[in-house]
Amino acid sequence: MSTVSSSSRGCGTSFPSKTSSLPALNSPNFIRIGKNSQSDRLSSHRLSLVHENRKARGATVRMALVDERQSTGQNVAHPPPRILAYDLVQGDLVKWRWKEDKSVPDTPTAVLLHGILGSGKNWGTFARRLAHEFPTWQFLLVDLRCHGDSASLKKRGPHSVASTASDVLKLLRLTPRVLVGHSFGGKVVLSMVEQAAKPLPRPVRAWVLDATPGKVRAGGDGEDHPRELISFLRQLPKVVSSKNEVYTALMEEGFSNDVAQWVVTNLRSTGPSSSTFSWAFDLDGIAELYQSYEDTNLWNFVENLPRGVHVNFLKAERSLHRWALEDLQRIHAAEELASEEGGGVEMHVLEDAGHWVHTDNPDGLFRILSSSFQVLRA
């Protein structure tokens, strides 16, 4: 399978890219994607530009994913600022096509969204597994606003579930066939479908992983207290001398070893030869996003789905504190209503998993999610 990576630049400041930037889509260059290495992480792809004869190749390359309006400049080395940073994992049978070639349909695309304090890389291993099983598909792993490489972009407020969903919609030039969001990303998925409800082609399958449309019931298992974690991280110095310094501080504050190890992966060196580290996300913006996550209520949308939209909720078996009886009852009631109206709501339970579903039980999650790609197999 192939992996394409694209990063973004902040206004007036150059930031390191994940890999070489994608070329301007209206250039005469053909994109040739190298194969992924056998690393368990999303490795940098080998992207080469093969100059074609402009007269012989009057057509242009069509990347059937990212909005072409984001790459209209001719300077390949310095493309215009992009909306969000992302990684693109493609199956081996994904077909590129010339813009004028209508014989090749748009590549079926799935968008995978992370939760608060995460990044698109959280989905790397899982996305490659999906691409191996469904080789005609491509999988877009987005760094949401204030997170990962997208933190370098200065986004206008408010930082909210709705504005985050709008970012992802603006990034795309085609409609994804499948949307998958974990936790905060789950509400973003619902907001995406709500905002684009009328123009979305059918069918559209949305997956909301261990999140409900309304009240957020975080904490309670001794390991996951997002509000307290964000608050504590904002009290730490913005630049630290070592990752171990932050790890120790988190452990002393009572956070779990797993959370402490995960958080320090978001520290980045401040320079090529620097021995100091800073956060790879915008903590002030993330605090605002988390507040919006708690305040956003999308029950009305779920209970009045447009025809042809199918929303799947997945509850982690060990994530009991996030789900109340009223949530389950309301989702089951929405299942019956949606089936009568031509939409679809479905409830799933992932056994032997806590909130971190794609690491706690990746095999079980793969089996459940695979149904969408089998039904919509290209």
Side-chain angles (χ1 to χ4, degrees):
M1 72 196 70
S2 302
T3 303
V4 180
S5 297
S6 177
S7 197
S8 306
R9 298 178 185 272
C11 298
T13 306
S14 178
F15 291 88
S17 298
K18 290 181 180 179
T19 63
S20 301
S21 297
L22 291 174
L25 296 180
N26 61 345
S27 74
N29 298 324
F30 185 80
I31 302 176
R32 182 170 292 163
I33 307 299
K35 294 301 180 184
N36 215 27
S37 73
Q38 295 304 311
S39 170
D40 190 47
R41 298 177 300 172
L42 274 174
S43 61
S44 298
H45 73 293
R46 299 185 297 278
L47 183 149
S48 62
L49 301 178
V50 181
H51 294 276
E52 301 287 352
N53 185 294
R54 184 183 296 271
K55 292 181 180 180
R57 292 289 191 182
T60 60
V61 173
R62 176 172 185 175
M63 178 180 177
L65 177 68
V66 178
D67 192 333
E68 297 178 12
R69 291 172 299 178
Q70 300 307 311
S71 297
T72 56
Q74 294 295 325
N75 190 340
V76 174
H78 299 285
R82 298 183 187 274
I83 295 170
L84 294 169
Y86 62 87
D87 287 304
L88 180 62
V89 178
Q90 296 181 313
D92 286 337
L93 300 182
V94 168
K95 297 179 180 179
W96 291 79
R97 72 177 185 183
W98 297 107
K99 188 173 183 179
E100 285 80 3
D101 183 5
K102 305 300 183 183
S103 65
V104 180
D106 284 336
T107 300
T109 302
V111 175
L112 307 181
L113 303 183
H114 60 81
I116 285 289
L117 295 174
S119 72
K121 283 186 171 62
N122 296 157
W123 283 109
T125 300
F126 195 85
R128 286 196 304 280
R129 182 175 179 180
L130 284 169
H132 182 266
E133 180 67 20
F134 304 102
T136 61
W137 283 71
Q138 60 187 5
F139 302 86
L140 184 70
L141 285 55
V142 180
D143 285 355
L144 299 175
R145 63 163 58 203
C146 304
H147 291 80
D149 288 349
S150 292
S152 63
L153 296 167
K154 301 304 179 184
K155 292 291 186 182
R156 291 183 179 180
H159 297 303
S160 65
V161 169
S163 63
T164 304
S166 178
D167 290 344
V168 183
L169 288 171
K170 289 176 182 176
L171 178 68
L172 302 170
R173 68 155 302 279
L174 59 73
T175 300
R177 307 267 289 277
V178 176
L179 302 169
V180 181
H182 174 241
S183 195
F184 171 80
K187 272 194 179 178
V188 173
V189 161
L190 289 177
S191 184
M192 285 177 65
V193 182
E194 180 186 43
Q195 291 183 45
K198 292 182 180 179
L200 280 181
R202 309 293 190 255
V204 173
R205 290 180 175 262
W207 287 85
V208 180
L209 308 184
D210 214 36
T212 68
K215 185 175 180 179
V216 175
R217 300 176 176 86
D221 58 6
E223 294 187 358
D224 189 87
H225 306 272
R227 180 181 292 280
E228 288 80 359
L229 177 59
I230 295 167
S231 177
F232 180 72
L233 294 179
R234 294 176 75 189
Q235 296 172 23
L236 297 177
K238 292 186 177 180
V239 177
V240 297
S241 58
S242 72
K243 293 184 177 183
N244 189 60
E245 174 185 332
V246 175
Y247 172 82
T248 301
L250 287 164
M251 294 295 290
E252 291 177 350
E253 188 67 17
F255 293 100
S256 71
N257 177 64
D258 288 344
V259 167
Q261 289 185 335
W262 166 61
V263 167
V264 299
T265 63
N266 290 290
L267 287 167
R268 302 286 186 268
S269 175
T270 55
S273 58
S274 176
S275 60
T276 58
F277 299 85
S278 61
W279 293 114
F281 40 52
D282 174 2
L283 281 170
D284 291 338
I286 285 175
E288 197 175 333
L289 287 174
Y290 186 76
Q291 184 61 54
S292 172
Y293 177 48
E294 289 196 335
D295 294 342
T296 299
N297 189 320
L298 292 165
W299 273 114
N300 184 62
F301 171 68
V302 171
E303 293 170 338
N304 296 276
L305 283 181
R307 181 175 295 272
V309 174
H310 195 108
V311 176
N312 297 269
F313 291 93
L314 183 140
K315 172 186 174 295
E317 184 180 36
R318 299 200 306 267
S319 188
L320 299 177
H321 61 277
R322 282 182 170 76
W323 297 83
L325 180 59
E326 69 174 271
D327 294 325
L328 300 175
Q329 291 175 334
R330 202 164 177 179
I331 288 174
H332 287 310
E335 282 184 300
E336 298 179 7
L337 182 62
S339 63
E340 295 173 1
E341 298 297 326
V345 175
E346 195 168 349
M347 186 75 195
H348 309 261
V349 176
L350 180 62
E351 298 178 351
D352 193 26
H355 184 56
W356 304 104
V357 292
H358 44 308
T359 56
D360 288 350
N361 187 358
D363 292 341
L365 181 62
F366 182 83
R367 286 192 297 271
I368 293 174
L369 289 184
S370 289
S371 62
S372 284
F373 304 103
Q374 290 164 350
V375 169
L376 301 175
R377 188 185 291 270

